[in-house]
Amino acid sequence: MKARKGRQEVIKDLIRGGDIRTQGSLVQALAELGYSVTQATVSRDVSDLQLEKLPGGIYILREDLHLMRMVSELVIEILQVNNFVIIKSQGGSAPVVAAAIDHAAIEGVYGSVSGDNTVLVVSDSEKTALSLKEKLDSYLRFQIR
């Protein structure tokens, strides 16, 4: 039997996978997954997890915001091959991008290796790699104000 994830881990998944704009919608999403919590509890979780809000009002994890900045400012191209993601970046910036990916601790991502302008990210499956590529692609188009 698979152990139930802790509430804060579920919140991280919800924030990474959705369009959560309010604590109330987070309470509702948790309830749909069988977690009975009050808005006060969610408020503490938001503080504990150091969630940020993007200019559009969507919650984001602080480590994902850093990754978003690094990708939007430094990355040129993202490719996915099998369970690998290859990231082409501006010269000399690959180590910073790799560190941001590692720090984000994305489920199913084992780690990264960088050169000068290329990062190789190793994931547990082709599906995880594709999901990561799509997430990073969305960060390429994002302008942080």
Side-chain angles (χ1 to χ4, degrees):
M1 181 176 186
K2 192 173 184 179
R4 182 173 163 158
K5 281 187 175 182
R7 184 182 66 252
Q8 289 190 351
E9 289 302 312
V10 172
I11 290 172
K12 284 182 177 183
D13 291 345
L14 289 168
I15 296 300
R16 281 188 167 140
D19 185 12
I20 305 291
R21 295 176 183 269
T22 66
Q23 291 179 9
S25 61
L26 193 50
V27 169
Q28 183 178 355
L30 286 166
E32 290 171 5
L33 294 172
Y35 293 83
S36 178
V37 294
T38 65
Q39 189 159 344
T41 300
V42 166
S43 180
R44 283 189 299 276
D45 289 336
V46 166
S47 177
D48 290 348
L49 292 169
Q50 298 179 328
L51 298 182
E52 305 267 345
K53 274 205 173 187
L54 294 176
I58 297 171
Y59 278 112
I60 187 167
L61 298 166
R62 180 172 281 176
E63 60 265 27
D64 288 355
L65 182 59
H66 177 66
L67 177 58
M68 184 181 285
R69 281 190 177 118
M70 294 300 98
V71 170
S72 69
E73 294 173 8
L74 302 173
V75 171
I76 298 165
E77 181 180 17
I78 304 163
L79 307 164
Q80 181 255 326
V81 179
N82 299 322
N83 65 314
F84 302 108
V85 177
I86 297 100
I87 302 167
K88 296 289 188 175
S89 66
Q90 295 176 19
S93 66
V96 175
V97 173
I101 290 169
D102 292 343
H103 184 70
I106 301 166
E107 188 173 339
V109 173
Y110 294 133
S112 63
V113 179
S114 70
D116 180 64
N117 69 337
T118 305
V119 177
L120 173 66
V121 182
V122 180
S123 70
D124 63 358
S125 69
E126 191 169 332
K127 181 179 175 183
T128 299
L130 180 59
S131 175
L132 176 62
K133 181 203 181 306
E134 289 170 350
K135 176 188 290 283
L136 296 177
D137 279 340
S138 75
Y139 292 172
L140 275 176
R141 297 182 297 273
F142 193 78
Q143 297 297 316
I144 298 174
R145 295 184 179 109

